[in-house]
Amino acid sequence: MNSLAGDHSMVESSRLPGFYKKSIEERLDLISQLVGLDEEEKKLLRNLGNLDEKIADAMIENVIGGMTYPFAIATNFKINGRDRLVAMVIEESSVVAAASNAAKMLREGNGIIAVADKQVMIGQIHIVNVTAPQYKAMKILEHKEEILDHANQQDPVLVKLGGGAQDLEVRVVDTRRGPAIIVHLIVNVLDAMGANAVNTMAESIAPLLEKITGGEVRLRIISNYAVYRIARAWARAPPEAVGGPEVVDKIVDASILAEADPYRAVTHNKGIMNGIIAVALATGQDHRAIEAGAHAYAARTGVYKPLSYWEKDEDGYLVGSLELPLQVGIIGGAVRVHPIARLALKIMEVKTARDLAEIMAAVGLAQNLAAVRALVTEGIQRGHMKLHAKNLAVMAGATGDLIDKVAQKMIEDQRIRFDYAKELVEKLSRGEPL
Ligand code: MEV
């Protein structure tokens, strides 16, 4: 196999006319020729895993292969009084184990309660070059029913099911180029993430808004700042479940630091997103939308804050609460086409988008507890290193029981390095003791 650094010169040109029209095979051949991939490398890349060839090729453009991430189940979750198996896809070791571990602690206090808002999204229509913008903003509201009707004609199925465009908000925003009118179309998207439905509606009402205002529409797009689609989760754990009263106090200290310091708040929230995004990936969600919305929400006061809080209640119990926007769907998008996303929903017994949002919020809270608890006790490196050592052992060629043996020895000797893993594997293969 060629090394990643490559032993050939740089690609001559990235101009590949007609590349998009070729088959996966043809594209892969071409790229292989250009960068010198050997047959083994081509075969590896060509493997689409559990994704059908046609689906993969239609999902995005210029496909030449696939890349598989592990799909895991986090255990011990009790959410709203019900046991749930949680599907997670992630590249980072420790996340699944940590979520399962914290879910177990929170079970001891009756599990996690989670409640999500209705699935309401905002579509933005941006109007410029408006004379008398304050007055025209009112004129838009005067035509509210007509505008909503027009939007709803785009999606009669959604309306029939009880969703659709339900309200309008209008603002005049001062911009560098003077005032602009921003119309928010408020749409209940039911079980969809909603981008398609909302964008179609936003585009459809643009000409009407131009007529009413005499201005020109520029952007017509969903806002991923999904402030009407908030999911909340909370839980209460007896001190013994998390390691005793001292640990409770230290977890509260960690939360207080995140409240006071954005540098810590970002990492605190990253820990929450470890869990949420792992579920998002497993269920084929638009995780960029979720991330963007979550971090904007964290900064909604003008200062970046934690999405969760850990406190001690009057009985000395650890109580945690989490709140963030979650724009998730169980119909449309990758959920519709990726068979594994559908399987994930089946494993989690998810029947509605709201249910999925509630599970994700609960997972975020548990993930956060696991991280913060580890940080205020043994630190996260020990757990990480254990898994890292196992990974190195596998990479060095250890199989079966030998993986744990090699990993254990590296930990004992505090030499968790690939060269040492190789040395140990070689020793074992010669039949020598470690
Ligand atoms: C690592 O992926 C996540 C943590 O840094 C989160 C945290 O610090 O709370 C452990």
Side-chain angles (χ1 to χ4, degrees), residues 92 264 267-268 270-271 274 368 371-372 375 380 384:
E92 184 176 335
R264 173 57 206 155
T267 323
H268 178 102
K270 191 273 183 183
N274 272 348
N368 179 225
V372 174
L375 289 172
I380 60 154
H384 264 237

Side-chain angles (χ1 to χ4, degrees), residues 126-137:
H126 164 215
I127 315 166
V128 296
N129 297 336
V130 184
T131 314
Q134 301 291 350
Y135 172 75
K136 296 293 173 50

Side-chain angles (χ1 to χ4, degrees), residues 22-40:
K22 296 185 190 300
S23 68
I24 296 182
E25 218 64 63
E26 290 167 340
R27 287 186 211 120
L28 180 59
D29 281 344
L30 179 61
I31 296 299
S32 301
Q33 279 165 23
L34 288 174
V35 302
L37 298 184
D38 64 28
E39 282 310 311
E40 206 182 322

